[in-house]
Amino acid sequence: MAPDAAARPALVTVDDDAAVSRAVARDLRRRYGEQYRVVRAESGAEALDVCRELKLRGEQVAVLLADHRMPGMSGIEFLEQAMDLFPAARRVLLTAYADTDAAIDAVNVVDLDHYLLKPWDPPEEKLYPVLDAQLDAWRAAAPSAVHGPKVVGHRWSARSSQLREFLARNQVPYRWFASDSPEGVRLLEAAGVDDARLPVVVTSDGDVLVEPDDATVAARVGLEVQPAEDFYDLVVVGGGPAGLSAALYGASEGLRTALVERTATGGQAGQSSRIENYLGFPDGVSGAQLTERARRQAQRFGAEIVMTRDVCGLDVNGSARAVRFADGSTLAAHCVILANGVSYRELTGPGLGTLTGRGVFYGSALTEAPGCRDQDVYVVGGANSAGQAAMYLARDARSVTLVVRAGDLRASMSHYLVEQVEAHPRIRVRTGTEVVEAIGDEHLEQVVLRDAATGDKQTVDTGYLFVFIGAAPLTAWLDGTLDRDPRGFVRSGPDLLVDGRPPAGWPLDRPPYHLETSVPGVFAAGDVRAESAKRVASAVGEGAMAVMLVHRYLEQL
């Protein structure tokens, strides 16, 4: 069976004489049609457009076969420009006997691999032996095909970093090319985009997205960005472990369930390089693997997962609860489960804000790790996420320094992970230390450390600072709607009671259920909930428990 046409390398032939062009294509298809896709053009400009399209679609060109004498653009001129797009393609010139001197000169101009004299009949003697040799040479050094979306951007660009992390966390395979790399330059040339308008995403279909937002990219790579209905039994806000658990159990128990997520499923857990203390995985599991399995499982039961939706408000309309999106639209349901988790707290100090995404990264160790090979890396934080990142980065980094504000690493990190960190030969732990400044022009070059006890400062060289500190709940959009504690975490169940009685304004005769918030029918699960355990297993359990309480609430409507 012949390979799929899109997967076959191309043989591109161009001749301004339509009859000759058809004859060349006919002879090529007769011999090579099963293994190669023959693409013909009748002018150099048309052939260049074909080459640009093939480049953007990630396809390969094995041979460029061009007629020498063509108006507007000669075969040599075409080959000279086409080789910028496909430098590995073999270059063959078709020429009349009178033009052999020009063909010989072209060997030096465009590194010509061969020239053929017209006519080439019979092709079995004059054409195929030449092409067979060229194809053998091409296969010996053929580059691998590039499938899936391609991202071209500046190496030290905050937006390029965000886009790469967005694709990686959503389990979308992609290829990254720095804008100044040879392949990056070729893709930008094929797309007709200059490097002042980056990042650029080239889809699998060859479409070019210039400086796209996450929603645009999500829609083009197959992620759902619009809910299928206007009203559900249950809307889950947040796609971390608690949210995925709630969506799975809600859908599996017959509730019309939609999960809305701003960035990527998995939350902070999804960014973990390795979780070793989760029940049922004795050899550990990466956050991405756990997240992907949970996402597929929830979808298999019928839960909708809607991406790139930024929830900014909660409305109560009789028995309906509606979440309001940043674009002004709403999504209503009988019940809402808040599982939107927490974000890493940002460091404050000179340079730390401006260099975010350009050497200072928050929770993106997996995405940026390849660039850390043989580098001196600094990780800030004393909890499990920081320890897991340090272990992961230490695989390839020259050294990893874990900067911990507390006086003892054991204050907030699991015992098993403390032992691993302290035993690793390339990890050094600096307790009682803070990062107070970042220094660099285009990207991070140095950080300033301060001893918490003495106030002494030290400037160290590094191009990579990964931050995993604190837990800031993503609840500002609930101001005036739900009761929260002074740090912004959502109070629920017993924490709402005042002297054993429901809070003022509670409209029902019964007290709030265990995970129910100050608004009946709205529940909180996972890290966003006040006094939660801040562990993956407990978040999963709370998501399942919240669904049980949703059923209890719905029975009383």
Side-chain angles (χ1 to χ4, degrees):
M1 181 181 294
D4 180 73
R8 287 180 288 166
L11 308 179
V12 177
T13 173
V14 52
D15 196 304
D16 65 302
D17 186 320
V20 174
S21 177
R22 287 193 295 269
V24 173
R26 178 202 61 213
D27 289 343
L28 292 178
R29 290 193 182 97
R30 184 183 302 161
R31 173 86 167 198
Y32 306 106
E34 290 190 2
Q35 298 299 321
Y36 297 89
R37 187 154 65 97
V38 178
V39 182
R40 73 180 186 90
E42 295 182 7
S43 72
E46 180 186 349
L48 277 178
D49 288 341
V50 167
C51 288
R52 293 188 184 101
E53 181 180 349
L54 293 171
K55 186 68 181 180
L56 293 175
R57 289 163 56 180
E59 299 184 37
Q60 298 171 300
V61 172
V63 173
L64 297 162
L65 185 66
D67 179 46
H68 173 50
R69 287 188 177 274
M70 293 188 295
M73 180 184 295
S74 70
I76 294 175
E77 291 170 333
F78 161 73
L79 293 173
E80 188 173 12
Q81 295 187 50
M83 66 187 287
D84 291 335
L85 297 171
F86 294 99
R90 308 297 289 183
R91 293 172 285 278
V92 177
L93 194 67
L94 283 173
T95 182
Y97 181 80
D99 293 324
T100 53
D101 289 341
I104 294 172
D105 291 339
V107 172
N108 296 322
V109 175
V110 295
D111 194 20
L112 193 67
D113 295 302
H114 202 90
Y115 67 88
L116 284 169
L117 295 178
K118 298 180 182 179
W120 57 88
D121 289 330
E124 289 77 11
E125 295 180 12
K126 298 183 178 180
L127 177 64
Y128 297 153
V130 171
L131 266 295
D132 287 345
Q134 297 306 317
L135 289 171
D136 287 343
W138 177 81
R139 282 191 295 266
S144 58
V146 180
H147 302 294
K150 298 171 281 292
V151 181
V152 184
H154 292 300
R155 174 65 188 89
W156 298 109
S157 158
R159 178 55 189 152
S160 293
S161 177
Q162 292 167 359
L163 185 54
R164 293 166 61 198
E165 186 174 358
F166 173 79
L167 291 170
R169 290 184 59 193
N170 281 291
Q171 304 292 307
V172 178
Y174 73 95
R175 289 286 298 274
W176 158 258
F177 301 99
S179 58
D180 57 356
S181 68
E183 187 65 8
V185 171
R186 286 191 282 269
L187 283 169
L188 291 178
E189 180 183 345
V193 178
D194 60 60
D195 62 5
R197 302 171 63 207
L198 298 180
V200 166
V201 176
V202 182
T203 70
S204 302
D205 296 328
D207 294 332
V208 178
L209 311 178
V210 181
E211 299 179 294
D213 58 22
D214 289 351
T216 300
V217 174
R220 298 304 299 272
V221 299
L223 301 177
E224 293 295 332
V225 296
Q226 293 289 342
E229 302 180 31
D230 295 326
F231 194 92
Y232 292 81
D233 295 317
L234 172 63
V235 167
V236 181
V237 180
L244 287 169
S245 173
L248 188 159
Y249 283 100
S252 68
E253 294 174 13
L255 298 178
R256 291 172 300 158
T257 303
L259 182 153
V260 292
E261 166 58 43
R262 180 174 60 175
T263 304
T265 53
Q268 287 189 350
Q271 297 173 274
S272 176
S273 58
R274 194 159 193 82
I275 302 170
E276 297 190 64
N277 60 349
Y278 188 72
L279 184 67
F281 292 88
D283 299 321
V285 61
S286 74
Q289 290 173 323
L290 188 63
T291 294
E292 177 62 11
R293 292 178 182 183
R295 182 190 62 78
R296 286 190 286 109
Q297 193 174 11
Q299 289 179 315
R300 183 169 66 85
F301 282 113
E304 289 183 35
I305 297 180
V306 185
M307 301 302 302
T308 66
R309 301 314 298 261
D310 194 4
V311 178
C312 64
L314 176 66
D315 299 325
V316 178
N317 303 310
S319 63
R321 280 82 181 101
V323 293
R324 198 172 345 109
F325 299 126
D327 64 2
S329 62
T330 60
L331 187 61
H334 289 302
C335 292
V336 171
I337 294 178
L338 303 176
N340 48 314
V342 297
S343 63
Y344 291 115
R345 197 174 72 245
E346 294 187 5
L347 292 173
T348 58
L352 289 163
T354 57
L355 291 173
T356 296
R358 296 189 288 143
V360 179
F361 303 102
Y362 290 85
S364 56
L366 296 179
T367 306
E368 299 295 334
C372 297
R373 181 179 296 275
D374 300 325
Q375 301 293 314
D376 296 315
V377 177
Y378 283 72
V379 177
V380 183
N384 282 7
S385 55
Q388 290 159 351
M391 291 294 296
Y392 183 77
L393 292 166
R395 297 178 180 180
D396 298 311
R398 181 167 52 204
S399 70
V400 176
T401 301
L402 189 58
V403 181
V404 184
R405 184 173 58 178
D408 189 346
L409 194 59
R410 291 166 176 78
S412 55
M413 190 178 293
S414 296
H415 176 72
Y416 80 92
L417 193 52
V418 172
E419 290 186 329
Q420 292 180 8
V421 167
E422 292 182 340
H424 200 291
R426 288 196 295 277
I427 298 179
R428 182 172 60 130
V429 180
R430 293 189 56 159
T431 57
T433 306
E434 298 175 298
V435 174
V436 296
E437 184 178 354
I439 301 170
D441 294 325
E442 293 294 322
H443 58 86
L444 179 68
E445 298 172 11
Q446 296 176 314
V447 296
V448 178
L449 307 177
R450 181 174 64 194
D451 187 294
T454 66
D456 293 341
K457 294 182 180 180
Q458 179 187 5
T459 300
V460 296
D461 295 333
T462 184
Y464 293 90
L465 178 71
F466 296 92
V467 184
F468 300 85
I469 60 169
L474 302 172
T475 60
W477 57 281
L478 293 169
D479 282 347
T481 305
L482 295 185
D483 186 58
R484 297 177 295 152
D485 70 11
R487 295 188 297 163
F489 291 94
V490 177
R491 288 194 176 104
S492 63
D495 293 333
L496 290 169
L497 302 181
V498 180
D499 296 328
R501 295 189 298 272
W506 178 256
L508 304 180
D509 293 335
R510 63 167 177 83
Y513 294 136
H514 183 65
L515 300 179
E516 197 168 20
T517 70
S518 58
V519 173
V522 177
F523 301 83
D527 290 0
V528 75
R529 191 179 66 83
E531 306 302 326
S532 63
K534 307 296 188 287
R535 286 290 186 268
V536 175
S538 62
V540 170
E542 288 190 8
M545 183 187 297
V547 171
M548 180 191 72
L549 297 174
V550 164
H551 279 289
R552 187 179 300 177
Y553 172 84
L554 291 175
E555 289 170 358
Q556 299 177 356
L557 287 181

